[in-house]
Amino acid sequence: MIRALSELVVGQDPRMRARLGLCLLSMVIYVCWIFVLLGYALPRHLITESTAHFFMGYISVALCVFYPLVRSGITRSWPDPGLVAPQILWASGAMIISYAVAPVVRSVAFQTLCLIQVFGFLSLRPKVAAWTGGLTTAMLIAAWVAMTVLGLSDADPRAEALKIAGSCFVLVLMTIQSRSFGLMRERAFHAKQSLAAAAEELRRITVRDGLTGLYNRGHMQERLQAEVQRAQLNGHHFSVALIDLDHFKAINDHHGHAVGDEVLVNFALQGGAVLRETDVIGRWGGEEFLVLMPETEEANQAQIAMTRLREQLRSTQVSRSLPDLRVNFSCGVATWSARDSIEQVIERADQALYRAKSGGRDRTELQPPLTRGITSAGQPVASA
């Protein structure tokens, strides 16, 4: 019950909770001021009835605007989603007006005004902190001018000028400090972003091949291990395809390594475009690639995927400098079963690849599943 009520009042988003917490705190303070006005100041005739009505209306605006707007989520995309700056200016305006028209408040007005500025220390951006503090200072000076010119108070203007000058000095210092906190938060935020970007780049370097952008051999071995564990849990099989680009050495020798790099990069692009989203392709080494195809119960399912890739390559330009150049590949496919280790399924795919290259290249060979026989000594023996 309490948790449901809490989620209703401040929501579930941690950032939303922080913003609404500030709004609720300001609402509590406003409500306290209402009790002070109605229960203490008005009955003792410390303020006039019209002044009390004005402040009741002023406070009601704050109660009906700030919290509902933030809680509705409308302000989520605004530069100041918690409406911190408007709340500071509104509360500061209340204290400055009170200082001008209600002598009973003057003894605590300046201290309260400075306390209000503290709410911006942990959330306002540097520029917002600067103009918020500047506007508050300007309103305070305007209040003194109004008191002096319009005769809103019988207080000595010179004495009040000294008090306001001191308060303005403190406000300026607090504004500078608030702006400094904002700059520190921005620097910390940018440093955090840079660190996250560096960590992502490091992760990319450690798992990706620098040329093709595909996963490297080390990461593919990790993916294979994870797929074995998943297959053991759900009972599905997966297939592994080892691909070797045909006559790649001749491409390097005749056309140069730049063209060879183009071929590798474009093969990687075509592989990513043709294969399923669940399939994982990585560079196994040199011109060799390994494709992990989850949930392929039969090797011929993987063979169909390799046929699509081969047809795509035949119709695709793999080098800008040599638009007529086409690339073929030889492929060996093996399907994992519960009797296989990772090394065994890769070895069987490699054996199938060897047969494909020996049989004339530009073809896919399937390696039969691992079987177990019995030796003459009665011991089980694995064979392909």
Side-chain angles (χ1 to χ4, degrees):
M1 179 67 180
I2 296 177
R3 181 178 179 181
L5 181 62
S6 173
E7 292 180 355
L8 177 65
V9 175
V10 296
Q12 298 179 339
D13 185 353
R15 290 175 296 181
M16 176 73 80
R17 285 175 173 267
R19 297 164 190 161
L20 291 173
L22 178 61
C23 291
L24 290 174
L25 178 59
S26 64
M27 289 178 67
V28 170
I29 295 174
Y30 282 130
V31 170
C32 290
W33 274 107
I34 291 176
F35 282 116
V36 170
L37 286 172
L38 297 180
Y40 179 79
L42 191 59
R44 288 167 174 74
H45 305 289
L46 299 176
I47 58 174
T48 64
E49 188 171 338
S50 59
T51 301
H53 289 162
F54 169 79
F55 281 112
M56 287 291 294
Y58 192 96
I59 291 172
S60 298
V61 170
L63 293 176
C64 296
V65 171
F66 295 122
Y67 173 82
L69 273 177
V70 176
R71 182 65 184 90
S72 69
I74 295 175
T75 65
R76 190 185 301 271
S77 59
W78 293 7
D80 184 6
L83 300 180
V84 177
Q87 290 190 75
I88 289 175
L89 289 173
W90 193 261
S92 297
M95 292 311 305
I96 291 171
I97 295 171
S98 300
Y99 167 78
V101 301
V104 68
V105 179
R106 287 177 189 159
S107 59
V108 296
F110 294 136
Q111 296 92 322
T112 306
L113 191 61
C114 292
L115 181 62
I116 291 171
Q117 310 308 308
V118 175
F119 285 94
F121 276 21
L122 299 178
S123 57
L124 291 182
R125 293 176 298 162
K127 289 183 179 180
V128 178
W131 66 255
T132 300
L135 282 176
T136 303
T137 304
M139 287 191 297
L140 188 56
I141 295 173
W144 177 81
V145 172
M147 290 170 60
T148 303
V149 175
L150 301 178
L152 298 178
S153 172
D154 56 359
D156 182 4
R158 293 183 180 180
E160 295 303 316
L162 288 175
K163 295 178 183 177
I164 288 178
S167 297
C168 288
F169 178 73
V170 174
L171 282 173
V172 169
L173 291 180
M174 295 186 72
T175 299
I176 293 173
Q177 190 65 39
S178 181
R179 181 177 179 277
S180 298
F181 284 162
L183 288 172
M184 288 191 329
R185 283 196 307 274
E186 283 193 349
R187 285 194 293 267
F189 175 74
H190 292 314
K192 183 178 179 181
Q193 280 190 320
S194 298
L195 184 61
E200 176 61 24
E201 179 63 15
L202 180 61
R203 189 198 69 82
R204 189 191 68 79
I205 291 173
T206 56
V207 304
R208 296 281 183 177
D209 173 60
L211 176 63
T212 63
L214 298 177
Y215 290 122
N216 58 28
R217 183 170 184 142
H219 185 71
M220 288 301 295
Q221 289 174 326
E222 293 178 3
R223 295 295 293 262
L224 284 165
Q225 184 63 54
E227 188 60 32
V228 167
Q229 295 174 356
R230 195 174 76 91
Q232 289 172 340
L233 289 175
N234 60 28
H236 293 294
H237 294 177
F238 63 89
S239 293
V240 170
L242 271 178
I243 297 173
D244 187 273
L245 301 186
D246 292 336
H247 308 296
F248 183 75
K249 184 177 184 301
I251 294 175
N252 271 337
D253 292 342
H254 295 159
H255 305 295
H257 289 281
V259 173
D261 289 347
E262 276 190 285
V263 169
L264 293 173
V265 170
N266 280 286
F267 175 82
L269 290 174
Q270 299 309 317
V274 171
L275 297 172
R276 301 175 303 176
E277 290 185 2
T278 54
D279 296 336
V280 184
I281 181 171
R283 190 178 181 188
W284 198 242
E287 68 273 21
E288 272 196 350
F289 298 84
L290 183 141
V291 182
L292 168 62
M293 291 172 277
E295 299 186 13
T296 47
E297 303 299 326
E298 301 293 339
N300 59 356
Q301 293 177 299
Q303 188 177 29
I304 294 171
M306 294 300 101
T307 300
R308 290 201 309 269
L309 178 55
R310 181 173 284 105
E311 292 174 351
Q312 177 73 10
L313 283 174
R314 285 173 177 164
S315 61
T316 301
Q317 179 180 317
V318 294
S319 173
R320 293 182 180 180
S321 56
L322 296 171
D324 295 329
L325 179 64
R326 293 295 181 267
V327 175
N328 300 319
F329 64 85
S330 302
C331 178
V333 175
T335 298
W336 176 88
S337 67
R339 293 187 293 266
D340 280 333
S341 66
I342 294 175
E343 292 76 12
Q344 286 173 322
V345 72
I346 293 176
E347 174 62 26
R348 292 194 296 107
D350 191 55
Q351 291 171 2
L353 173 61
Y354 178 79
R355 290 206 316 275
K357 293 167 71 174
S358 301
R361 303 179 186 271
D362 191 19
R363 59 194 297 171
T364 298
E365 289 286 343
L366 307 180
Q367 186 71 2
L370 190 70
T371 59
R372 291 186 180 272
I374 303 296
T375 67
S376 58
Q379 298 297 323
V381 60
S383 62

